[in-house]
Amino acid sequence: MSRVLVFVLMVFFTLPLRAQRPQDKTEIGNILDSWHKAAASAEFDPYFNLMTSDAVFIGTDASENWQMEEFKAYAKPHFDKGKAWNFKAMERNVYVNDEGDYAWFDELLDTQMKLCRGSGVLRKESGKWKIAHYVLSLVIPNENVS
């Protein structure tokens, strides 16, 4: 009888975690889509409000390893012009840790620079997912690399 009780308790306590993952993945996808849309619409505050205060953005140039305040300073003139950058996810994979407080992802993007790849980490803060780290990479076919 005690084995059955232990099994039932294990199933009972893990069901909410299993049920939460698809919801988290959907929520994270929506956040990333909203983030990209805010950039395309040059909505500075909505864009940066989806990031943690200590977020890092790594751009395509080797010099672009932006801490949050540096990234804001870099991005502000672009947003002030009414158009920043326009990324649309064509494909995305999202993974969530067992505790449900960190997630990581990769996405294939249609951009003004042609095909790119984004990847990053989100952290749950006060019950909300926020982008903590983002890496943007140019996609170069293997046959074009020596």
Side-chain angles (χ1 to χ4, degrees):
M1 180 77 164
S2 64
R3 286 184 191 170
V4 172
L5 180 60
V6 169
F7 177 77
V8 168
L9 289 174
M10 284 176 46
V11 169
F12 177 77
F13 285 112
T14 60
L15 279 177
L17 293 176
R18 288 186 192 150
Q20 184 179 358
R21 295 302 164 247
Q23 180 182 350
D24 284 338
K25 289 181 178 187
T26 300
E27 184 179 347
I28 289 164
N30 291 339
I31 287 166
L32 292 169
D33 289 340
S34 295
W35 190 58
H36 293 316
K37 184 178 177 193
S41 304
E43 298 173 357
F44 186 85
D45 288 335
Y47 181 84
F48 285 99
N49 288 341
L50 291 171
M51 300 174 78
T52 62
S53 62
D54 61 347
V56 175
F57 186 102
I58 298 175
T60 57
D61 188 85
S63 69
E64 294 178 325
N65 189 326
W66 307 102
Q67 304 305 305
M68 179 56 106
E69 293 309 312
E70 296 169 323
F71 185 48
K72 281 182 175 180
Y74 164 78
K76 184 83 167 107
H78 296 284
F79 280 76
D80 287 347
K81 290 178 188 171
K83 186 172 183 191
W85 41 87
N86 191 5
F87 300 166
K88 287 191 180 21
M90 300 166 47
E91 178 183 302
R92 182 179 291 140
N93 299 296
V94 176
Y95 311 91
V96 180
N97 73 339
D98 289 339
E99 292 78 16
D101 56 353
Y102 279 92
W104 57 99
F105 66 93
D106 61 86
E107 55 187 7
L108 203 53
L109 302 165
D110 179 19
T111 79
Q112 67 276 6
M113 299 176 286
K114 298 192 180 178
L115 194 61
C116 288
R117 182 169 301 282
S119 60
V121 175
L122 288 92
R123 181 173 66 224
K124 197 174 259 190
E125 293 184 343
S126 301
K128 294 186 179 186
W129 288 107
K130 295 218 172 197
I131 299 160
H133 192 98
Y134 191 80
V135 179
L136 180 64
S137 304
L138 297 172
V139 177
I140 302 170
N142 286 340
E143 59 268 12
N144 295 345
V145 179
S146 56

